Amino acid sequence: MASSMGGMFPGQQPPGPHAPTAPGGPGQPGLLTGPPVNRATNNTLVDELEASFEACFASLVSQDYVNGTDQEEIRTGVDQCIQKFLDVARQTECFFLQKRLQLSVQKPEQVEKEDASELKNELQRKEMLIQKHLTKIHHWQQVLEDINVQHKKPTELPQGPLAFLEQASASLPAPVKPN
């Protein structure tokens, strides 16, 4: 699979024995120690997506836009940045969908295994959600039962001329004795 992913983005060289090694030595990734990659010469979809995402934020916090008075110009600039980001995101999604299609043709059993795994995870998530709701239902049923028991007690009190006073005095707190 790794070999089929080589050259997956425009401008990217497939890995091989002719690939240049990083300054850290052979076999060591040079992501942090190597020279910065020039995006103009080695522009991949991921780099474009990252750059357009950064441009979206930059356009929102740029001093030109903060100090600008023409709201329509600001809106147009921000809309253009967002549209470019969405276009590159669609291209990236299309690339991965094409790779998924290639994988499904070359190794259909792998796709079925992934689908089965996703379905199992979804079932587990839903079972946990059901248990959570059942716990809440039991809690609220208990609360309702407690309320029903409290409402039945006053009706069991004796009826008579002093029944109202007995009920009212029962709900009053006991007097506190001063020290």
Side-chain angles (χ1 to χ4, degrees):
M1 164 104 178
S3 63
S4 68
M5 296 295 276
M8 63 187 217
F9 298 112
Q12 181 181 10
Q13 296 293 325
H18 61 282
T21 58
Q28 294 179 350
L31 294 175
L32 298 176
T33 58
V37 175
N38 185 358
R39 285 189 179 174
T41 61
N42 192 15
N43 209 8
T44 66
L45 277 176
V46 173
D47 290 337
E48 287 181 35
L49 186 66
E50 182 181 358
S52 63
F53 184 71
E54 290 172 358
C56 287
F57 278 106
S59 67
L60 293 174
V61 296
S62 172
Q63 283 296 350
D64 295 338
Y65 290 132
V66 172
N67 296 333
T69 56
D70 186 13
Q71 293 295 321
E72 192 61 34
E73 181 181 330
I74 294 170
R75 182 176 291 123
T76 303
V78 171
D79 285 345
Q80 287 175 349
C81 289
I82 291 173
Q83 189 60 42
K84 180 174 177 17
F85 173 74
L86 291 174
D87 289 342
V88 175
R90 283 188 200 103
Q91 290 173 4
T92 306
E93 181 183 21
C94 183
F95 168 80
F96 283 108
L97 288 173
Q98 288 172 347
K99 289 298 178 184
R100 178 77 174 178
L101 179 63
Q102 287 177 354
L103 181 65
S104 70
V105 169
Q106 293 172 355
K107 297 184 178 184
E109 68 279 356
Q110 182 67 28
V111 174
E112 290 175 7
K113 285 180 185 178
E114 289 176 9
D115 289 344
S117 175
E118 288 176 14
L119 288 172
K120 286 178 185 177
N121 290 338
E122 184 71 15
L123 281 173
Q124 288 176 347
R125 186 187 69 79
K126 287 183 178 181
E127 281 294 327
M128 289 176 21
L129 190 61
I130 289 171
Q131 291 301 321
K132 179 182 170 184
H133 286 298
L134 285 175
T135 303
K136 286 183 179 182
I137 288 172
H138 290 302
H139 168 73
W140 287 111
Q141 283 177 339
Q142 186 64 40
V143 168
L144 288 174
E145 286 177 14
D146 292 346
I147 290 173
N148 285 337
V149 168
Q150 289 176 355
H151 284 295
K152 287 181 181 177
K153 285 183 181 178
T155 59
E156 296 171 357
L157 292 176
Q159 298 296 326
L162 299 177
F164 177 74
L165 290 175
E166 290 174 359
Q167 287 177 347
S169 64
S171 62
L172 294 175
V176 179
K177 293 182 181 179
N179 288 338

